[in-house]
Amino acid sequence: MTRWSPDARRRLREAALDLYAAIGYEETTVAAIAARAGLTERTFFRHFSDKREVLFDGSDELNQRVADAVAAAPRDALPLDAVVAGIAAVGAFFTRERRPDARLRRKIISTHGALRERELMKLEALGDALEAVLRARSSRELARLAAEAGVAMFRETFDRWVERDGDWLSIAKGVRRDLGDLTASSNRPSH
Amino acid sequence: MTRWSPDARRRLREAALDLYAAIGYEETTVAAIAARAGLTERTFFRHFSDKREVLFDGSDELNQRVADAVAAAPRDALPLDAVVAGIAAVGAFFTRERRPDARLRRKIISTHGALRERELMKLEALGDALEAVLRARSSRELARLAAEAGVAMFRETFDRWVERDGDWLSIAKGVRRDLGDLTASSNRPSH
């Protein structure tokens, strides 16, 4: 008999999200999250460093998967098409079933400065990971710009997926098309 | 005779930057910054909420000026060309004389998580301001994407300006061209 709980992470995540939604992020303690999940505080801290981090579980892995898929994209793909391949590779995280929780999570994050800061740091980490793999395709400056634009595409893909119906991949492709339209015709004559 | 010091802000900014560079950000106290500037702590707190904020003096005004210039760009300009007009409008902040301080500041920020978080929040505020004014030109989703891409352009313009010689406007135009090249030829046949 063991107290090791294979689904502890998931239970803590769900308990945290429930409590943040029900009584508020500020008011929720780690003790309350652990209790609701039927686990101890000690178990909480084995999985998460603080009550912010529980909302960002999996995001490091997600960033890594995106970057790996960018690195694996065809050699002659344009940097931003490689980024689309990276975004497409994590579609399994963004299923219809996960949308309600994602929507709730986004709402909680948007109303707390400390959570927004943490989210921005995670997106910054995505940008750093993208830049590192894009260096194989571009100069340093172009890789940095493409990484930033890639983060913009990821954010917009995520926002549209949260707000609308539709599947992750077709949304990502739509964002890619829109970015092309937004940038393509510079210096057109004004008419 | 008055103790009001018209250049207090500038002196506090310079003193803070000197101390952060000389003895480190963590080790520097508000008292030390005020003393070096020949001012009191109370004066410091009249100008800045904490020792993080002193590194970001003027950034709210900068964001506002960029957004105002985007709003004032020709009606038929593409969203990202309007953003270039916004970036161009703050060129007076980014002169050759300011480059050494900007370089030092960037180095200090890059090595402290708390400062990076604050910087990301300022960039997020720029994105929000851009999105608000771009709504006059685009749908909500396109305005949000263009705002994110605009922040990417601003960051890359700033990074190149810090790292290289060259004037702000021509760097901004180069970034705009590069973004066009990065995104223009989606769906080209692979060959």
Side-chain angles (χ1 to χ4, degrees):
Chain A
M1 199 173 110
T2 168
R3 297 195 310 162
W4 181 72
S5 183
D7 60 349
R9 275 185 100 81
R10 183 186 52 74
R11 279 157 60 192
L12 289 164
R13 258 194 337 254
E14 289 176 1
L17 200 60
D18 288 347
L19 287 169
Y20 296 163
I23 66 171
Y25 169 74
E26 298 293 355
E27 292 72 18
T28 299
T29 61
V30 166
I33 296 168
R36 186 179 185 101
L39 297 162
T40 62
E41 272 191 79
R42 209 174 136 183
T43 302
F44 180 96
F45 287 114
R46 245 195 328 262
H47 290 282
F48 303 105
S49 57
D50 56 41
K51 71 173 186 170
R52 280 209 282 186
E53 202 60 25
V54 67
L55 276 177
F56 299 97
D57 189 35
S59 78
D60 294 340
E61 184 195 345
L62 188 85
N63 288 349
Q64 192 55 53
R65 285 208 197 184
V66 173
D68 287 348
V70 171
R75 214 91 215 100
D76 65 342
L78 285 174
L80 289 188
D81 291 323
V83 170
V84 173
I87 295 173
V90 294
F93 288 93
F94 302 97
T95 59
R96 169 185 285 263
E97 295 70 38
R98 297 206 178 158
R99 192 177 275 122
D101 275 1
R103 201 169 277 169
L104 181 57
R105 180 180 164 281
R106 190 175 72 150
K107 193 178 161 195
I108 295 165
I109 291 173
S110 72
T111 50
H112 290 88
L115 294 173
R116 284 170 56 219
E117 283 184 354
R118 183 73 57 107
E119 177 159 79
L120 294 175
M121 290 292 269
K122 297 288 184 184
L123 288 165
E124 193 70 357
L126 174 61
D128 290 345
L130 288 178
E131 186 183 338
V133 294
L134 289 169
R135 285 297 303 281
R137 292 166 196 275
S138 307
S139 72
R140 172 152 177 274
E141 291 184 346
L142 280 180
R144 191 169 57 193
L145 179 60
E148 287 294 328
V151 172
M153 286 167 57
F154 181 86
R155 290 182 73 165
E156 181 62 21
T157 300
F158 177 77
D159 284 339
R160 292 186 188 180
W161 174 79
V162 169
E163 290 164 9
R164 301 181 182 176
D165 273 335
D167 76 284
W168 181 255
L169 179 58
S170 43
I171 294 171
K173 285 181 175 168
V175 169
R176 173 68 184 87
R177 266 194 309 276
D178 285 347
L179 187 61
D181 291 347
L182 281 171
T183 58
S185 6
S186 185
N187 304 321
R188 65 176 180 171
S190 80
H191 50 88
Chain B
M1 197 176 109
T2 169
R3 297 195 310 160
W4 180 71
S5 183
D7 59 350
R9 275 186 101 81
R10 183 186 52 74
R11 280 157 60 192
L12 288 165
R13 258 193 338 252
E14 290 176 1
L17 200 59
D18 288 348
L19 287 168
Y20 296 163
I23 65 171
Y25 169 73
E26 299 293 353
E27 292 72 19
T28 299
T29 62
V30 166
I33 297 169
R36 186 178 185 101
L39 297 163
T40 63
E41 272 190 78
R42 206 173 139 186
T43 302
F44 180 96
F45 287 114
R46 249 201 319 269
H47 290 283
F48 303 105
S49 57
D50 57 41
K51 72 173 184 169
R52 282 208 279 185
E53 202 60 24
V54 67
L55 276 178
F56 299 97
D57 189 35
S59 78
D60 295 340
E61 184 195 345
L62 187 85
N63 288 348
Q64 192 55 55
R65 284 209 198 181
V66 173
D68 288 348
V70 170
R75 213 92 216 99
D76 66 341
L78 285 174
L80 290 187
D81 291 323
V83 170
V84 173
I87 294 173
V90 295
F93 289 93
F94 301 97
T95 58
R96 168 186 285 263
E97 295 70 37
R98 297 206 178 159
R99 193 177 275 122
D101 275 1
R103 202 170 278 171
L104 181 56
R105 180 180 163 281
R106 191 176 70 150
K107 193 178 160 193
I108 295 165
I109 290 173
S110 72
T111 49
H112 289 89
L115 295 173
R116 284 170 55 218
E117 284 184 352
R118 184 74 58 107
E119 177 159 79
L120 293 175
M121 291 292 270
K122 297 287 184 184
L123 288 165
E124 193 70 357
L126 174 61
D128 291 345
L130 288 178
E131 185 183 336
V133 294
L134 288 170
R135 285 298 302 280
R137 291 166 197 275
S138 307
S139 72
R140 173 153 177 273
E141 292 185 346
L142 280 180
R144 191 169 57 194
L145 179 60
E148 287 294 327
V151 172
M153 286 167 57
F154 180 86
R155 291 183 72 166
E156 182 62 21
T157 300
F158 177 76
D159 284 338
R160 292 186 189 181
W161 174 79
V162 168
E163 291 164 8
R164 300 180 184 177
D165 273 336
D167 76 284
W168 181 256
L169 179 59
S170 42
I171 293 171
K173 285 181 174 168
V175 168
R176 172 70 184 86
R177 265 194 311 277
D178 284 348
L179 187 61
D181 291 347
L182 280 172
T183 57
S185 4
S186 183
N187 303 322
R188 65 177 180 169
S190 80
H191 50 87

